[in-house]
């Protein structure tokens, strides 16, 4: 009987590690109406095939593997959400009794500072975030996006593309997108130097302030492709849809961001991944292991060295 127990446990662990986030429901109902893990979305939709979805995948994978209840909350007013809207979403989550609240995106900062000061028993994981003085119940998780951006730029030039574009989100004020862009340019330059080639790079933050798809962004990308650009790094959430549409119309190529976006369009030649879901699972695991003091009240920057 003991041998059978060991066998069942081993099989169970193997099955859990093989589960895809897509196979786990986005919504669930707990018996008591309480949820142990909550997720607050960034701007855009939950299923954006990018930053929100990649981060929420980590919540689902962690909760599923550990038998925990979970729920997501989207701030009111969509892309026009205010700090008050974000705080209201965090309060709604906290009122449902979670031990962990995962907040996606740098725009959550002001609301998060207020919520964390009020709900001191909750552990907040701030993805693409930072630390706050005196708030030890927040763990800020940042990434070394310049590393995966570098590899994407390097690989793209190695594949023979020499006329590139970069469309960045946040209007040039988002640190993560800036790091992606700098890395992409440097990786492309390094590969070009090795091959003795000259690489042209169009680089723009226009129409990316809200990280959303727009006719204006599609027109910009379309103009680049028509003028000879071969591949564009679409770096900013739902902006991808506009760039991919322009690429499809012009037989161009796209580099995706944050998650594998090749499933969204056959124009995608690669995606720059920073491990969003892995970082959430890792941070939540610190809580379970009683090691919150290793990340709470501080910010960590994750890259290749941290797997």
């Amino acid at each position: 009987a003991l041998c059978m127990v060991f066998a069942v446990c081993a099989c169970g662990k193997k099955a859990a590690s093989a589960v895809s986030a897509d196979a786990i429901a986005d919504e669930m109902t707990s018996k008591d109406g309480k949820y142990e893990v909550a997720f607050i979305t960034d701007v855009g939709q939950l299923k954006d095939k990018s930053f929100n979805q990649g981060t929420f995948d980590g919540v689902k994978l962690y909760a599923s593997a550990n038998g925990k209840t979970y729920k997501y909350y989207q701030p009111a007013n969509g892309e026009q959400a205010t700090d008050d809207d974000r705080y209201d979403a965090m309060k709604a989550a906290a009122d449902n009794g979670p031990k962990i609240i995962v907040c996606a995106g740098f725009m959550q900062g002001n609301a998060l500072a207020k919520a964390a000061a009020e709900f001191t028993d909750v552990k907040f994981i701030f993805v693409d975030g930072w630390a706050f003085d005196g708030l030890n119940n927040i763990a800020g998780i940042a990434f070394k996006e310049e590393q995966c951006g570098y590899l994407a730029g390097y690989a793209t030039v190695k594949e023979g593309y020499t006329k590139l574009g970069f469309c960045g989100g946040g209007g040039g004020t988002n640190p993560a997108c800036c790091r992606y862009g700098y890395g992409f340019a440097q990786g492309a330059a390094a590969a070009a130097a090795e091959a003795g080639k000259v690489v042209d790079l169009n680089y723009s933050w226009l129409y990316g302030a809200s990280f959303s798809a727009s006719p204006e962004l599609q027109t910009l990308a379309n103009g680049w492709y028509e003028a000879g650009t071969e591949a564009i790094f679409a770096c900013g959430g739902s902006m991808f849809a506009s760039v991919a549409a322009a690429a499809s119309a012009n037989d161009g190529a796209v580099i995706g961001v944050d998650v594998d976006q090749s499933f969204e369009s056959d124009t995608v030649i690669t995606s720059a991944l920073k491990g969003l879901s892995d970082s959430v699972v890792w941070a939540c695991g610190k809580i379970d292991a009683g090691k919150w003091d290793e990340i709470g009240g501080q910010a960590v920057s994750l890259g290749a060295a941290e797997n």
Side-chain angles (χ1 to χ4, degrees):
L2 186 60
C3 290
M4 290 175 66
V5 169
F6 283 138
V8 170
C9 289
C11 290
K13 289 181 180 178
K14 183 176 181 180
S17 65
V19 171
S20 165
D22 291 335
I24 303 171
D26 293 329
E27 299 187 59
M28 67 176 302
T29 301
S30 69
K31 293 180 180 179
D32 60 0
K34 302 293 184 181
Y35 297 88
E36 296 165 282
V37 188
F39 174 63
I40 313 297
T41 69
D42 195 8
V43 293
Q45 297 300 308
L46 176 75
K47 308 296 283 188
D48 61 359
K49 307 297 182 183
S50 188
F51 187 73
N52 277 330
Q53 186 168 344
T55 310
F56 187 47
D57 281 351
V59 172
K60 293 196 297 181
L61 288 167
Y62 166 75
S64 176
N66 292 279
K68 298 183 183 298
T69 54
Y70 59 92
K71 183 177 177 65
Y72 73 88
Y73 300 79
Q74 292 188 269
N77 296 313
E79 295 172 4
Q80 305 303 316
T82 64
D83 288 339
D84 287 341
D85 294 327
R86 296 182 180 96
Y87 167 78
D88 288 344
M90 294 174 196
K91 185 179 186 303
D95 287 343
N96 280 333
K99 297 179 180 178
I100 305 170
I101 295 181
V102 178
C103 299
F106 75 105
M107 292 182 181
Q108 308 272 14
N110 291 335
L112 177 55
K114 179 180 177 180
E118 181 176 349
F119 302 102
T120 55
D121 291 336
V122 177
K123 302 290 192 298
F124 290 85
I125 297 171
F126 187 14
V127 181
D128 263 9
W130 55 89
F132 295 78
D133 290 340
L135 292 175
N136 292 327
N137 58 332
I138 299 177
I141 296 180
F143 301 87
K144 298 169 184 172
E145 289 92 353
E146 69 276 10
Q147 294 183 353
C148 44
Y150 183 100
L151 293 173
Y154 186 90
T156 300
V157 173
K158 284 292 187 179
E159 284 292 305
Y161 298 90
T162 59
K163 297 185 181 301
L164 311 180
F166 174 89
C167 288
T173 64
N174 178 270
C177 289
C178 290
R179 289 191 290 267
Y180 268 130
Y182 287 130
F184 182 71
Q186 292 168 11
E194 290 179 4
K197 297 180 178 179
V198 174
V199 170
D200 295 322
L201 174 61
N202 289 315
Y203 196 105
S204 178
W205 298 101
L206 288 173
Y207 315 119
S210 67
F211 298 90
S212 299
S214 70
E216 294 82 6
L217 177 59
Q218 185 170 335
T219 298
L220 172 70
N222 188 69
W224 284 1
Y225 284 121
E226 288 182 345
T229 296
E230 299 165 329
I232 298 176
F233 186 11
C235 186
S238 298
M239 293 170 62
F240 170 85
S242 295
V243 178
S248 181
N250 291 276
D251 196 26
V254 177
I255 296 99
V257 73
D258 287 342
V259 298
D260 182 1
Q261 295 186 305
S262 64
F263 299 103
E264 298 307 302
S265 171
D266 58 10
T267 64
V268 175
I269 53 174
T270 191
S271 297
L273 313 181
K274 63 184 182 183
L276 287 167
S277 63
D278 290 340
S279 74
V280 174
V281 172
W282 171 81
C284 290
K286 291 287 187 182
I287 298 172
D288 284 345
K291 297 181 178 179
W292 177 255
D293 60 332
E294 294 183 4
I295 61 173
Q298 57 188 294
V300 296
S301 182
L302 305 178
E306 293 76 31
N307 196 33

